[in-house]
Amino acid sequence: MAKQAEPDVEAGINYWSTQSADYDGVLGGFGTGSLPRIDALGSRQFALYLMPELCTVPSALRPLRSQPTDQRTRALDVGAGVGRVTCDVLLHLFSDVVLVEPVESFVLEAVARGRRSEQDVPAVAEDANADPIAPWKGIKEKTRSVTFIQGTLQSLEPSHPAASGKVLGRIGYQPTSSELSKNLSDPTAGDIDSGFDVIWCQWCLGHLTDPDLVLFLRRCRVALRDPTAAYIIVKENTCSDSPDGGPRSHLDEEDSSLTRSDMAFKQVFREAGLSIVHEQVQDGFPPGLYVVKMYALH
């Protein structure tokens, strides 16, 4: 039996470098309809189901008794594109986000969007059909922060993201030296190396081979702040399983990425030593697309 073709990281980067650095480009032409908003709302609801203490308004999700804490919450956004998930999901829930993206045009656009929010410069899309560039929550007020890193998932060490790629800067909140001394054994490392409450992986894991994905997820597990209350969240397209119910995957030669079936993902999760805490299908997307599943792991 011939060996199945596998993703090639350089081919994937080359493909995405030809796409526009906006929501439409990173979402394959679905950036100007309802999909981005539906996707973001589904993601935020999924995260709040897992971590209701993140809810900031009175609701059924908010715990009756919240434990007071002065610890800032932290998220890692991998394969982050132009910062869509950071802006529309993570900054609504977490204090500090580290954004990692390999494609230069995408990560530079993410930096530009973040800087405009920091400087309170109105961002008006030149194209009336382009995605609206919303201000990033908490950046102008310096209550929240985003750190930008250009690097691949293959080389990313989530426990030490600053050493895993090119650091392009930080916007918003800046920790004081006393805060770093209190929270870190090595204050010179900065707070971006202090672990994460959530590691968010969306529409990017198809660019990893199965062995690389297993290793990446194992590295992510080590970077979770709390092994019982922090999560790796995977949100990805899924194809159908094989006729016998086993794992299956399909290589898209255009962007050199794998679409895995539900059983294929679960096989990788087991090999990485991870447990599924919760799983859910994303509803409300346009017909004809792959089924998108969300998995919470630790």
Side-chain angles (χ1 to χ4, degrees):
M1 180 182 296
K3 182 180 178 181
Q4 179 178 319
E6 296 184 332
D8 178 271
V9 60
E10 291 301 326
I13 290 174
N14 289 339
Y15 169 82
W16 287 108
S17 296
T18 67
Q19 305 304 300
S20 58
D22 53 23
Y23 281 17
D24 219 33
V26 299
L27 292 175
F30 287 91
T32 56
S34 62
L35 187 147
R37 177 171 173 78
I38 292 170
D39 173 68
L41 289 175
S43 295
R44 281 151 63 176
Q45 290 169 351
F46 188 77
L48 286 170
Y49 172 86
L50 297 164
M51 308 173 75
E53 65 275 11
L54 296 176
C55 188
T56 58
V57 297
S59 75
L61 289 172
R62 190 173 187 176
L64 293 176
R65 295 182 180 87
S66 298
Q67 293 297 321
T69 177
D70 59 357
Q71 177 173 270
R72 295 177 64 82
T73 53
R74 298 175 42 71
L76 175 63
D77 183 6
V78 304
V82 298
R84 184 185 66 86
V85 170
T86 288
C87 168
D88 296 345
V89 180
L90 300 177
L91 283 175
H92 290 265
L93 304 174
F94 297 92
S95 310
D96 302 298
V97 179
V98 176
L99 180 160
V100 181
E101 166 58 41
V103 177
E104 184 174 38
S105 59
F106 288 177
V107 72
L108 292 180
E109 174 63 17
V111 172
R113 292 178 180 221
R115 293 290 186 200
R116 285 196 288 267
S117 296
E118 187 176 47
Q119 299 166 8
D120 198 27
V121 176
V124 179
E126 294 180 5
D127 183 349
N129 294 319
D131 63 278
I133 303 175
W136 288 18
K137 186 178 179 69
I139 298 303
K140 175 189 173 185
E141 299 80 5
K142 298 191 182 300
T143 58
R144 306 191 180 217
S145 79
V146 180
T147 301
F148 303 92
I149 298 175
Q150 184 179 356
T152 65
L153 272 64
Q154 287 85 347
S155 63
L156 176 62
E157 177 52 72
S159 295
H160 306 288
S164 305
K166 182 180 180 182
V167 179
L168 301 179
R170 176 175 180 147
I171 58 172
Y173 171 81
Q174 303 290 333
T176 65
S177 57
S178 61
E179 287 172 324
L180 292 176
S181 298
K182 179 175 66 174
N183 293 324
L184 297 173
S185 58
D186 179 12
T188 61
D191 62 339
I192 67 172
D193 281 355
S194 63
F196 296 96
D197 301 293
V198 158
I199 298 176
W200 197 279
C201 315
Q202 181 167 355
W203 288 327
C204 61
L205 299 184
H207 291 285
L208 295 170
T209 65
D210 283 355
D212 281 346
L213 179 52
V214 168
L215 292 174
F216 171 72
L217 291 172
R218 288 176 180 171
R219 298 195 302 271
C220 286
R221 187 182 190 186
V222 174
L224 294 178
R225 272 178 157 177
D226 184 332
T228 63
Y231 303 94
I232 302 164
I233 295 180
V234 169
K235 187 170 186 178
E236 291 284 349
N237 294 342
T238 59
C239 61
S240 59
D241 291 316
S242 64
D244 63 359
R248 188 171 75 92
S249 59
H250 166 72
L251 180 72
D252 185 330
E253 295 185 357
E254 183 178 25
D255 69 355
S256 192
S257 71
L258 282 177
T259 301
R260 296 177 170 90
S261 71
D262 178 62
M263 290 304 298
F265 271 116
K266 289 176 176 176
Q267 178 174 284
V268 167
F269 299 156
R270 285 194 299 272
E271 292 178 8
L274 295 168
S275 300
I276 299 175
V277 179
H278 185 54
E279 59 183 292
Q280 181 179 320
V281 172
Q282 169 70 62
D283 293 323
F285 279 0
L289 301 180
Y290 280 117
V291 172
V292 174
K293 285 204 68 174
M294 295 177 276
Y295 305 90
L297 314 162
H298 61 204

